[in-house]
Amino acid sequence: GWNEGWIEAPRRVGAKITPLIGAHAHEVIATDSTSPNIFKLVVAALQSSERRTVLSEAGNFPTDLHVAEGAVRCVPGARLEIVTRESIARSIGHDTALLLLTHVHYKTAQRYDMQALTAAAHASGALVLWDLSHSAGAVAVDLNGANADLAVGCGYKYLNGGPGAPAYLFVAERHQDRLANPLSGWMGHAAPF
Ligand SMILES: *Cc1c(COP(=O)(O)O)cnc(C)c1O
């Protein structure tokens, strides 16, 4: 495994996903499943900010809210604010560290305007984590075109990865030095040995 390139597979497979989501090869890795990827990015975003609120939508996919609920319990002072879909944009406030949103809704197929909401979040100093599970492979996505910060998605829906296929996560190049993986196992550590 060490000598036959398996260790690089998360980057290699991640790079193959990038044309579908508008990212650079070094911004995406195929790893874990969607839920732990959300956990890692929510905690990393909170730890990189003075702000303590994660903002999400009441109708978000269940695991996204369950994971966010657990993630905020791990960060002192952090809280999860859940509002209606219609009031997301106007609920971004001075304490909002992160918006956690699913780009294409799993029941209604309603789609957020990724570029506009990302711009609104940035204007008030917040980041956005986009869940692309119902987007990648189904509709065009341009993360860098929208100046996106963070994203996750599963590999087993429109990417046809089959049962047990890993998910992926995206971290925009500009955030890579600032964000630390809170699951610091050896593969998540700068110095594995
Ligand atoms: C399918 C789906 C998931 C799945 O999460 P897993 O951890 O892979 O089970 C997460 N978020 C959304 C929006 C989904 O559609």
Side-chain angles (χ1 to χ4, degrees):
W2 286 97
N3 299 327
E4 293 175 5
W6 300 0
I7 209 82
E8 284 302 318
R11 290 168 192 259
R12 201 166 60 240
V13 176
K16 289 190 171 185
I17 297 170
T18 58
L20 296 172
I21 58 175
H24 298 300
H26 60 283
E27 294 174 316
V28 176
I29 54 169
T31 184
D32 291 325
S33 61
T34 317
S35 302
N37 284 335
I38 296 170
F39 178 86
K40 290 183 287 187
L41 292 178
V42 169
V43 172
L46 282 168
Q47 288 178 339
S48 75
S49 172
E50 301 283 294
R51 298 171 174 217
R52 295 292 78 172
T53 301
V54 176
L55 178 63
S56 193
E57 171 202 348
N60 203 347
F61 191 84
T63 203
D64 296 56
L65 296 180
H66 297 328
V67 170
E69 218 175 84
V72 297
R73 281 200 295 265
C74 296
V75 179
R79 60 185 281 269
L80 177 62
E81 181 183 0
I82 297 176
V83 301
T84 62
R85 186 177 181 89
E86 294 68 32
S87 49
I88 281 284
R90 64 173 177 273
S91 301
I92 305 170
H94 295 306
D95 192 53
T96 309
L98 182 73
L99 274 73
L100 171 63
L101 298 173
T102 297
H103 179 228
V104 172
H105 195 277
Y106 73 108
K107 278 186 186 166
T108 65
Q110 275 177 293
R111 206 184 307 182
Y112 280 115
D113 183 334
M114 183 182 282
Q115 189 161 6
L117 264 176
T118 300
H122 289 177
S124 58
L127 304 183
V128 188
L129 166 48
W130 291 105
D131 188 331
L132 303 178
S133 292
H134 279 267
S135 306
V139 299
V141 179
D142 188 2
L143 288 171
N144 282 325
N147 202 20
D149 305 294
L150 309 168
V152 297
C154 68
Y156 54 78
K157 287 172 188 155
Y158 302 101
L159 299 187
N160 303 311
Y168 55 91
L169 66 79
F170 159 90
V171 176
E173 184 180 352
R174 66 183 181 281
H175 295 309
Q176 292 182 2
D177 286 343
R178 279 188 331 112
L179 298 187
N181 184 356
L183 295 182
S184 50
W186 70 330
M187 295 303 158
H189 200 282
F193 292 99

